[in-house]
Amino acid sequence: MATSERRTAGDADSLREARPKKGFLKRISPQSRWYWARQMLENPWAVGSMLFILLLIVTAIIWPFLSDNYPFRLNPVDRLQEPSRDFLMGTDQFGRDVLLRGVFGVRVSLSVGLAVMALSGLMGAMIGLLAGYYPRLDTPVMRVMDGIMAFPPILLAIAVMASLGPSTGNVIFTLGLVYTPIVSRLVRGSTLSVKNQLYVEAAQSIGVRDFGIMFRHIFPNTLSPLIVQCTFIIALAIIAESSLSFLGAGVPPETPTWGRMLRDGHQVITRAWWMITVPGVLLFMTVLGLNLIGDSLRDAIDPRSRQR
Amino acid sequence: MTQYIIRRLLLLVPVMLIVGIMVFTLVHLTPGDPAAVILGPDASSSEVEALREQMGFNEPLYVQFVLWFGDVVRGDLGQSYYLGEPVTRALLNRAEPTILLTLYSLTLAIIIGVPIGIVSAVKQNTFIDRLAMMFAISGVAIPNFVLGIFLIMFFAVMLGWLPSGRYENILDDPIQHWRHMIMPTIALGFSSAALLARLVRSSMLDTLKEDYVRTAFAKGVGFKTVVTRHALRNALIPAVTVIGYSVGTLLGGAVVTETVFSLPGMGRLVVNSIARRDYPIIQGAVMAIAVGYVMANLIVDIIYVYIDPRIRYGD
């Protein structure tokens, strides 16, 4: 099995070498520790996705400097205008530029996504490491994680948000809580499989303390599946945040966010197709992009998955 | 087998206890005094105090938990602040659309996802495979409520083919009922179908490489027979796990989908209750749906034993 894998990987490489390539990427050899980056940059879907998300972020940052149009400015005269030269994708019930608000929506979505990833990644990694390393902690801690996972994620998020009230911080806290068990299960699994390796035993025998072993010797070996999972958590969190905002239980109403825009658009669906098209397409493209980046990262880190 | 089911049912007790503790904690995350919320802003402080005493809010927390959990076990989820009826009855009255929508979507996901997965594994790296995987990748990326809104825009507003925004009882008028449920079912089931297609494909690809499949081919067994009888049966085992997991996603997604299509289900009740600050309804519904999800996973685990004779739990 192992030899055949190596052969397919080798064949793919030799095919790739045969094609003329820009020099820089080609200089990264399969032995290099940056080989995964080369593989990702050679994947057109991943590169396209990264460029798209980057473009969104840059537009959201520089647009306010270029235009006097402002996403929060109410302008009742221009209510529900169709797309025109003044408003490329029309206006909403309050006369606000839909395209501009849509581009601004990436701020909330991506920052919530990244913050949720950081929070659940951190908590999940800690819990997973501790539960995997100390057998005594394993059962009680993982039962609590099972308890959280017994709720459909979005429903648990709705319930917590209903109790805490709408705010961006609460969305991040809630979704971080909801996705922690996914990360902790993953890290616990890798910890259990790494824990009995010889180098861990060696570290124990020369008297390295438990925390040193966990963070210096075990944690780095759980990283690669964790990083891949984190990309998907950003995507999941963006969907969850927009669902919560769509239901009116997410970020406060005045913040421009895709879920909120879809909620507003849903109410005038018979009259203003542009109001749902802009946030819907942007949301779809962003999540799609993050998933494609996650997939290519997984293929680059774990060659086994590439054959699929 | 009976032993296994009994053991699994006993394992439900700690899980339900943890679920109960979490829902109970949610009650106490709620800002403000629940007694004040029930009585409204005009109530005097002595009235609030009397209600607190009457509802047991002055007892220690663990006593409150034991009393509350005892009621939940007996099916009493408390009284809705807003509707003025027991939460259990309110939820039961609205269970039909939610349960049917979840079942329809699950069926759709299986009917579409499994064949697509099989075909694209058998025709790996062909045009059909690429097309199927494009469907799968975009299906996972489109949130159910966005798909629902776009379906309404195209098929209800622009083309006028399908009705939206109402619900027909299945017993009163089955045809109208299904016409109303087509779009919600697609909106909710699409991403599960995509996920299932991806999973069936990759697990089919793994089994097609197994020795017993090669042996079957070598024996001269026909292609169709090898795929359906040798490979598919084994490839479906991981798919069953994902189906169990999908039930949770679908139940949760139903909450959002019902709001998009104005279906009078449990989910819409939950969403309406957020603005009304009707916490007993929210907590009751979360409890009920979590129980349903845990039960669905139990059923999936039992089906597992039937389809995979290698698994003999603890016998």
Side-chain angles (χ1 to χ4, degrees), chain B residues 206-218:
Chain B
D206 280 347
T207 40
L208 283 175
K209 288 197 190 90
E210 292 281 352
D211 287 343
Y212 55 80
V213 170
R214 198 176 49 198
T215 310
F217 277 125

Side-chain angles (χ1 to χ4, degrees), chain A residues 1 45 140 143-144 146-156 158-165 173 177 232 239 242-244 246-249 258-259 262-263 265-266 269-274 276-278 280-281 283-284 287-288 291-292 295 298 304 307-308, chain B residues 14-15 18-20 22-23 26-27 29-31 124 134 137-146 149-150 152-153 157-158 198 201-202 205-206 209 245 247-249 251-253 255-256 259-262 270-271 274 279 282-283 285-287 289-291 293-294:
Chain A
M1 194 65 197
W45 292 103
R143 282 299 86 76
V144 174
D146 287 349
I148 300 180
M149 286 181 102
F151 298 94
I154 189 73
L155 191 72
L156 181 58
I158 290 173
V160 180
M161 284 306 295
S163 300
L164 294 177
F173 167 76
L177 178 81
F232 293 119
I239 293 184
S242 64
S243 307
L244 286 175
F246 174 74
L247 297 175
W258 295 329
L262 284 161
R263 180 189 170 90
H266 183 223
I269 193 166
T270 48
R271 286 182 289 158
W273 57 267
W274 56 91
I276 53 173
T277 309
V278 171
V281 169
L283 177 59
F284 169 68
V287 174
L288 181 67
N291 283 341
L292 288 171
D295 282 347
R298 184 181 53 203
R304 243 183 67 83
Q307 312 163 4
R308 301 196 175 153
Chain B
V15 173
I18 292 169
V19 168
M22 288 186 55
V23 173
L26 280 178
V27 183
L29 274 179
T30 316
Q124 193 193 0
M134 245 157 80
I137 289 169
S138 49
V140 178
I142 187 158
N144 53 43
F145 71 98
V146 177
I149 294 175
F150 279 114
I152 294 180
M153 188 171 80
V157 176
M158 288 184 175
R198 261 185 109 165
R201 174 176 181 273
S202 81
L205 285 177
D206 280 347
K209 288 197 190 90
Y245 162 82
V247 175
T249 319
L251 276 171
V255 174
V256 191
T259 309
V260 176
F261 291 96
S262 308
V270 169
V271 172
I274 299 174
Y279 301 116
I282 301 174
Q283 283 133 11
V286 170
M287 190 78 202
I289 292 180
V291 172
Y293 182 27
V294 171

Side-chain angles (χ1 to χ4, degrees), chain B residues 126-141:
Chain B
T126 61
F127 176 70
I128 297 176
D129 180 25
R130 300 253 153 81
L131 200 71
M133 284 308 105
M134 245 157 80
F135 151 79
I137 289 169
S138 49
V140 178

